[in-house]
Amino acid sequence: AQRVTQPEKLLSVFKGAPVELKCNYSYSGSPELFWYVQYSRQRLQLLLRHISRESIKGFTADLNKGETSFHLKKPFAQEEDSAMYYCALSVGSSGSRLTFGEGTQLTVNP
Amino acid sequence: DAMVIQNPRYQVTQFGKPVTLSCSQTLNHNVMYWYQQKSSQAPKLLFHYYDKDFNNEADTPDNFQSRRPNTSFCFLDIRSPGLGDAAMYLCATRHGADTQYFGPGTRLTVL
């Protein structure tokens, strides 16, 4: 069975500092990986997906199949980045059934 | 404009009293999902509909049922809620190879 692990429940950085949210997965096949974000009092929304290979709000994530990781990175954190971040894995057709990690609460301090 | 709508946002029920949560969408997506998210835990998929085809997750309790009368609406029925069913329930939709769009959730309290 597939599994997603986010080792840090809480992460706190200062504004302007680099930030990395870790995500590791276990799945024997070729998964599709996503990062979802939930800002305070808002709905869960897609931040980025690995097949798009794009940068959203300054965030990037690279799928490393050798290390089975999909870490989320941003070189200069902003206060508005404070949110809950979930890494998710899909094993069906694109985005069909998501398995989520338990999330990392990011706080960016002024 | 809200695309995935969940009503009510907060629901209180009594132990053992059946409750129904509602989800509607304006996206005309063919797939609809229900997730359960307990406090400080990951969202957990309960089941999903691909058009009219119902797909139950293996570990979803029988206490949870779902109905999808048409493309726009999907309901989550909890036949006999227990204290352990208190959670946030998230509805999501998807179409084709697109990603999932989530509703705001319904927070269920069981007294």
Side-chain angles (χ1 to χ4, degrees):
Chain A
Q2 62 274 14
R3 184 181 176 90
V4 178
T5 304
Q6 293 179 248
E8 302 139 328
K9 279 194 175 292
L10 302 171
L11 184 61
S12 183
V13 300
F14 286 103
K15 177 183 174 181
V19 63
E20 180 179 53
L21 291 84
K22 290 184 167 48
C23 172
N24 290 91
Y25 66 91
S26 62
Y27 180 62
S28 56
S30 295
E32 184 171 3
L33 276 296
F34 303 81
W35 276 99
Y36 280 81
V37 60
Q38 189 166 29
Y39 300 102
S40 179
R41 297 189 179 87
Q42 295 187 26
R43 64 189 67 199
L44 198 59
Q45 58 187 288
L46 179 70
L47 181 61
L48 53 81
R49 58 199 301 184
H50 90 269
I51 61 170
S52 300
R53 301 186 66 82
E54 55 190 346
S55 173
I56 304 293
K57 299 186 179 183
F59 285 97
T60 59
D62 291 318
L63 179 61
N64 185 323
K65 292 187 178 181
E67 296 182 359
T68 60
S69 68
F70 188 56
H71 303 326
L72 183 67
K73 301 177 184 179
K74 184 169 183 176
F76 307 104
Q78 303 299 315
E79 289 180 67
E80 56 265 30
D81 296 328
S82 296
M84 180 67 101
Y85 291 80
Y86 292 96
C87 183
L89 176 154
S90 170
V91 299
S93 58
S94 183
S96 64
R97 292 171 62 246
L98 292 173
T99 298
F100 284 91
E102 295 204 347
T104 297
Q105 178 67 50
L106 173 66
T107 301
V108 181
N109 300 298
Chain B
D1 292 334
M3 298 180 289
V4 182
I5 303 158
Q6 290 188 245
N7 286 309
R9 296 291 307 278
Y10 300 90
Q11 176 73 56
V12 181
T13 190
Q14 291 179 332
F15 183 94
K17 184 175 180 181
V19 65
T20 295
L21 308 183
S22 169
C23 177
S24 64
Q25 53 139 334
T26 60
L27 299 163
N28 203 35
H29 284 177
N30 58 342
V31 190
M32 294 187 77
Y33 303 82
W34 279 105
Y35 291 84
Q36 179 193 62
Q37 185 177 24
K38 296 187 176 180
S39 181
S40 302
Q41 295 185 22
K44 180 179 177 299
L45 182 64
L46 295 173
F47 27 58
H48 73 279
Y49 274 93
Y50 192 105
D51 292 322
K52 293 184 178 181
D53 293 333
F54 178 69
N55 298 272
N56 199 29
E57 293 300 299
D59 55 355
T60 298
D62 292 340
N63 198 26
F64 291 86
Q65 306 281 317
S66 185
R67 296 170 283 136
R68 189 179 185 187
N70 53 52
T71 300
S72 300
F73 285 87
C74 194
F75 300 99
L76 170 61
D77 301 308
I78 308 176
R79 293 192 297 187
S80 182
L83 298 179
D85 296 327
M88 178 73 86
Y89 289 88
L90 302 173
C91 175
T93 72
R94 180 180 69 89
H95 193 82
D98 202 357
T99 185
Q100 293 187 25
Y101 292 86
F102 283 82
T106 294
R107 183 167 296 283
L108 178 68
T109 300
V110 182
L111 301 178

